[in-house]
Amino acid sequence: MNKQISILGTGWLGLPLAETLIKEKYIIKGSTTSENKLLYLKNKEIDAYCISLYESGPAGDIISFLKGSTTLIINIPPGLRRNPEVNFVAKIQKLIPFIEESDIQNVLFVSSTSVFADLDGFPLVSEETTPNATSNAGKQLFQVEKLLQNNQSFKTTIIRFSGLLGPDRHPAHMLSRKTSIKNPKAPVNLIHLNDCIAIIKKIIETHSWNTVFNASCPDHPEKAIYYEKVCTQMGLPKPDYDFETPSKGKLIDSKKLISQLSYQFTKNI
């Protein structure tokens, strides 16, 4: 079995994922957009490349980055909050011909549950639910999902993570001190970094290709109650909510992932 994997994006999730896979005797090629980070990655036994995706095409030695790997993990955020004019779909479109010409057989695309809109009544959202994003990022992510899934040159699995949290990252930091926060009654959909890594590892180990997984911790407390509790625990000022406007939201169902991968979530939110 080929144990070489290329990870496009070695940031908050991609770097600890690479470190975990290296411990499992995988050979990892990893990309960064910063020349300054190359030595840091190499010191962690990652075969590092400086690669950036542009609407005109990828910059950097993308051919060498993909060479010899049978699995590619695409783990780069669209970056649309900072720059709403970015065409993330075009960036991936220009990347695909390089994947087609490479040894890559399997693509794992890290997507988001933002492909589903928040609605009245907090509908249960499964992999059978048709994405109906209203946000620019959600719409573009779904377009990229389809672009990759429809390509016959490789098998694609989509993993849609809900809100990410970990040792140095919690949405409570962003919500603290804010006022008139919308949707206080909505269910919370979050997932811990440890589970993200373990789920990706499981997909690779079980060869779970050509499918889609929604990934969210099965705990879904009410937003206002949850963040009040977390902010108290972290010593942060509590957020202020808009209870006048009816809340919209969704409940992400991860039963398919739990069943097909025989996976048990290890971290509560």
Side-chain angles (χ1 to χ4, degrees):
M1 185 182 110
N2 185 321
K3 293 202 77 169
Q4 181 174 296
I5 295 172
S6 294
I7 302 177
L8 189 63
T10 51
W12 185 81
L13 168 59
L15 178 56
L17 171 64
E19 291 175 305
T20 299
L21 292 173
I22 286 167
K23 286 176 188 169
E24 298 288 328
K25 307 303 179 188
Y26 285 90
I27 299 163
I28 300 298
K29 291 188 173 188
S31 83
T32 174
T33 57
S34 169
E35 291 274 358
N36 296 333
K37 200 176 170 184
L38 288 173
L39 183 60
Y40 176 75
L41 294 177
K42 285 172 183 171
N43 287 337
K44 290 184 174 289
E45 300 177 44
I46 297 167
D47 187 4
Y49 294 79
C50 191
I51 291 167
S52 296
L53 298 190
Y54 295 103
E55 291 160 22
S56 56
D61 193 355
I62 190 75
I63 293 171
S64 296
F65 168 70
L66 297 173
K67 188 176 181 180
S69 296
T70 51
T71 298
L72 169 65
I73 299 171
I74 301 176
N75 173 46
I76 46 174
L80 294 164
R81 279 186 190 169
R82 225 174 298 154
N83 190 352
E85 303 306 312
V86 166
N87 189 337
F88 184 62
V89 180
K91 289 183 179 183
I92 302 299
Q93 275 176 324
K94 290 294 172 69
L95 171 67
I96 286 175
F98 293 93
I99 304 174
E100 291 172 336
E101 294 297 318
S102 73
D103 302 314
I104 298 296
Q105 298 170 16
N106 309 305
V107 172
L108 177 60
F109 178 61
V110 177
S111 188
S112 163
T113 53
S114 66
V115 298
F116 301 107
D118 291 332
L119 298 172
D120 295 326
F122 317 139
L124 187 68
V125 173
S126 75
E127 292 79 1
E128 301 300 313
T129 308
T130 302
N132 55 352
T134 53
S135 69
N136 183 20
K139 287 176 182 176
Q140 290 205 44
L141 282 170
F142 182 48
Q143 281 183 266
V144 169
E145 287 184 7
K146 289 189 292 183
L147 203 60
L148 294 168
Q149 287 172 309
N150 291 338
N151 194 295
Q152 301 303 306
S153 298
F154 45 83
K155 297 173 183 174
T156 296
T157 285
I158 308 294
I159 179 79
R160 296 173 180 144
F161 288 130
S162 56
L164 301 170
L165 59 87
D168 58 345
R169 174 174 179 164
H170 201 293
H173 287 288
M174 291 183 286
L175 291 180
S176 175
R177 297 182 190 276
K178 285 196 174 179
T179 58
S180 300
I181 297 170
K182 295 188 181 305
N183 309 316
K185 307 290 281 183
V188 167
N189 299 290
L190 292 171
I191 186 167
H192 194 279
L193 174 64
N194 291 12
D195 281 308
C196 294
I197 292 169
I199 289 165
I200 291 173
K201 187 165 157 283
K202 195 88 166 177
I203 289 169
I204 295 165
E205 289 171 346
T206 57
H207 309 288
S208 298
W209 304 112
N210 273 346
T211 190
V212 180
F213 294 111
N214 293 341
S216 184
C217 179
D219 299 326
H220 300 280
E222 191 176 291
K223 184 175 179 178
I225 295 171
Y226 173 72
Y227 283 108
E228 183 164 329
K229 177 185 167 188
V230 171
C231 285
T232 299
Q233 289 172 343
M234 296 173 78
L236 297 171
K238 295 175 187 176
D240 171 72
Y241 292 95
D242 171 14
F243 284 98
E244 297 299 315
T245 309
S247 290
K248 293 183 178 184
K250 55 186 174 263
L251 191 69
I252 302 297
D253 182 0
S254 296
K255 287 193 182 75
K256 176 184 172 182
L257 182 151
I258 292 166
S259 171
Q260 288 195 14
L261 298 181
S262 299
Y263 187 76
Q264 284 188 315
F265 280 80
T266 59
K267 287 282 190 178
N268 292 326
I269 58 172

